[in-house]
Amino acid sequence: MGSEQQGQSIPVIGFVDAFEDETIAQAHQGFVDALAENGYSEKEHTLKIIYKNAQGSIPTLTQIVHYFIQQKVSLMASCPTLATITALQNTKDIPVFMMVSPTPELMKMNDASGNAPNNLFGVADNLDYIDTSFRLIPKLMVPKGDRLRVGMIYNQSEPQSVDALNRIKALAQSLSVELVALPVNNSSESQMVTQSLLSKQIDAFFANPDNTVFASFETILKSCNDAHVPIFTSEAGLVARGAVAAFGADIYQWGHQAGVQAAHYLKNQSTKGLAWEMVQLRNKVYNATVAQQFGLSIPEGFVPIK
């Protein structure tokens, strides 16, 4: 599988993003940089990348994956969750290198024996880090009423978003925090649902790690800022965009880690010895400007985001 370039065959990668988002885009850059560092780049004519963005449309996402299959790409790179699931639902033969995606178990992609798809590679994360991120809220916030109230929205059609909600519910209860959670179906509903949360006098907003929150974060941020309600999250990229603090994966490094694995596959033309792996780098970061805006003192161990 490859493209004829100057008389020789070069590998072709189909890279699909599910939607347009500046945080998610960092994974794409990390992936491309890792390939270049390992001798595969379009600039050097040692690789061809067909990049497609579904712009949030599931039918378009499916069409993109089918196009990659028709083009007989060497491998698919998928980002984030919805792209990974769509790729796996449509091919069992082409290797899929995921990024910014949860584990296959959380995506409900394991078979009855608990095994991940044979063609799934790349880098995933579980929900463990959410605990550290959420615990930060009662450490920093003083409740307006008798108990701290934290609001969040979640996409009820995304398995990992529902799993995250259930985890946060249990954690909030153990911390004596009142969680006010409302469902959304797509990013166009985010403003209305966020306004509804804010009307319930929440003390803080927790940006759940799901695709809807990524896609509509600026809308959520404006509503929360107008109501003087700080946002906490588990995604470092959202801190750069205006959340207070996070303990979560570095999205660029996530993509880079997946790119290193993809380069290994291209070099060896074999998946032998390869398997999907857990994200390696998580950061504790905060937004100094936003922390000052809300008068919050960030604990030691957190570094200001660049």
Side-chain angles (χ1 to χ4, degrees):
M1 297 180 201
S3 169
E4 293 302 320
Q5 180 76 36
Q6 296 177 346
Q8 59 182 355
S9 180
I10 62 170
V12 178
I13 290 177
F15 192 113
V16 56
D17 267 329
F19 53 86
E20 198 82 44
D21 180 84
E22 64 181 84
T23 300
I24 298 298
Q26 295 172 23
H28 173 254
Q29 189 61 53
F31 185 82
V32 171
D33 287 352
L35 286 168
E37 289 162 14
N38 284 275
Y40 296 97
S41 77
E42 291 196 297
K43 187 178 179 182
E44 299 297 326
H45 307 295
T46 52
L47 176 72
K48 180 180 178 182
I49 298 177
I50 306 172
Y51 176 78
K52 300 286 184 181
N53 192 306
Q55 302 294 333
S57 166
I58 291 177
T60 302
L61 196 52
T62 303
Q63 290 170 2
I64 290 168
V65 170
H66 285 167
Y67 175 73
F68 288 163
I69 294 168
Q70 291 167 2
Q71 294 298 306
K72 298 183 179 179
V73 297
S74 308
L75 64 88
M76 289 190 205
S78 59
C79 180
T81 313
L82 287 175
T84 300
I85 291 172
T86 304
L88 292 172
Q89 287 173 336
N90 287 278
T91 181
K92 307 297 179 190
D93 303 316
I94 299 173
V96 175
F97 289 79
M98 63 177 166
M99 63 207 79
V100 198
S101 300
T103 63
E105 180 182 7
L106 289 174
M107 287 190 288
K108 311 291 193 254
M109 295 305 296
N110 284 352
D111 62 20
S113 302
N115 299 314
N118 290 330
N119 63 326
L120 178 61
F121 304 95
V123 183
D125 205 355
N126 56 26
L127 298 175
D128 291 347
Y129 63 95
I130 289 178
D131 294 10
T132 304
S133 300
F134 193 85
R135 285 178 189 278
L136 190 61
I137 303 173
K139 287 180 181 176
L140 297 185
M141 297 298 300
V142 177
K144 296 169 188 168
D146 59 347
R147 196 152 72 130
L148 194 68
R149 291 168 65 87
V150 177
M152 65 175 281
I153 63 177
Y154 66 98
N155 190 323
Q156 54 195 341
S157 64
E158 288 189 26
Q160 85 279 7
S161 187
V162 176
D163 286 341
L165 169 68
N166 292 332
R167 188 183 188 100
I168 293 166
K169 271 184 181 175
L171 182 60
Q173 190 172 10
S174 72
L175 296 170
S176 297
V177 170
E178 183 180 352
L179 184 69
V180 185
L182 294 176
V184 295
N185 294 303
N186 53 61
S187 57
S188 65
E189 299 176 357
S190 296
Q191 183 174 16
M192 179 181 67
V193 176
T194 301
Q195 293 287 0
S196 180
L197 278 177
L198 292 167
S199 72
K200 299 178 188 299
Q201 301 301 304
I202 58 173
D203 298 292
F205 183 98
F206 185 74
N208 185 37
D210 82 24
N211 298 329
T212 305
V213 170
F214 274 122
S216 57
F217 185 74
E218 274 63 36
T219 299
I220 295 168
L221 178 66
K222 185 180 187 309
S223 295
C224 288
N225 279 345
D226 288 347
H228 201 66
V229 170
I231 298 176
F232 294 84
T233 182
S234 55
E235 301 299 335
L238 295 184
V239 176
R241 291 163 69 178
V244 177
F247 173 63
D250 181 303
I251 302 296
Y252 174 87
Q253 291 297 335
W254 196 333
H256 192 279
Q257 186 180 339
V260 169
Q261 198 185 81
H264 183 275
Y265 167 71
L266 293 176
K267 280 180 181 175
N268 294 281
Q269 291 297 301
S270 170
T271 59
K272 187 177 180 181
L274 285 181
W276 71 268
E277 57 193 39
M278 292 292 292
V279 67
Q280 293 171 351
L281 184 64
R282 293 192 180 99
N283 295 328
K284 288 183 176 181
V285 295
Y286 74 98
N287 188 312
T289 302
V290 177
Q292 185 178 27
Q293 173 188 336
F294 288 101
L296 300 174
S297 298
I298 306 300
E300 285 187 19
F302 283 76
V303 297
I305 199 151
K306 296 176 183 177

